[in-house]
Amino acid sequence: MAYDEVLCTRVLDALADRDDVAERKMFGGWALMLAGNMACGVMGEDLLVRVGREGYEAALDLAHARPMDFTGRPMTGFVIVDAAGIAGDRELQAWVTRGEAFARSLPPKR
């Protein structure tokens, strides 16, 4: 699956102040790891955000968010935000911050 490289750059820019960012190809797209934990990624033109089980339902209540579902069974803890929901920098930053907060809640992997 191809992914939007411009969106990848926007996500990286949103986390420019961090020094523990690593890029990885995952789920047929691009993923961003913080201290070894996945925070968010890009699949096609959409943003994948790891929000955790506790933040899952609240994230799904937000506009443009839907479950991450590749196999007919949604992956609880991950949401996909369509391109319309991240068109502006402020909207993108809010979603990236959600993913960053969840990744930061986990112990670092090295």
Side-chain angles (χ1 to χ4, degrees):
M1 168 186 274
Y3 53 87
D4 184 340
E5 293 188 23
V6 172
L7 180 54
C8 296
T9 299
R10 290 179 62 212
V11 172
L12 283 169
D13 288 348
L15 293 167
D17 61 334
R18 294 195 58 125
D19 62 359
D20 59 350
V21 175
E23 300 174 59
R24 183 176 294 167
K25 302 238 170 135
M26 293 177 76
F27 303 119
W30 174 87
L32 199 61
M33 314 297 280
L34 303 177
N37 295 299
M38 184 180 172
C40 55
V42 175
M43 299 178 62
E45 295 179 354
D46 300 332
L47 183 70
L48 170 64
V49 183
R50 187 174 183 194
V51 294
R53 288 186 182 272
E54 292 178 8
Y56 183 67
E57 292 299 327
L60 287 177
D61 286 340
L62 299 172
H64 305 288
R66 67 182 187 274
M68 178 181 164
D69 183 356
F70 295 131
T71 63
R73 290 182 53 190
M75 288 184 67
T76 303
F78 292 85
V79 297
I80 294 183
V81 183
D82 66 43
I86 52 170
D89 289 340
R90 189 165 25 186
E91 293 86 2
L92 176 66
Q93 183 66 56
W95 280 107
V96 170
T97 298
R98 280 181 181 269
E100 178 184 16
F102 181 75
R104 198 178 331 166
S105 75
L106 302 171
K109 294 180 184 175
R110 297 287 177 206

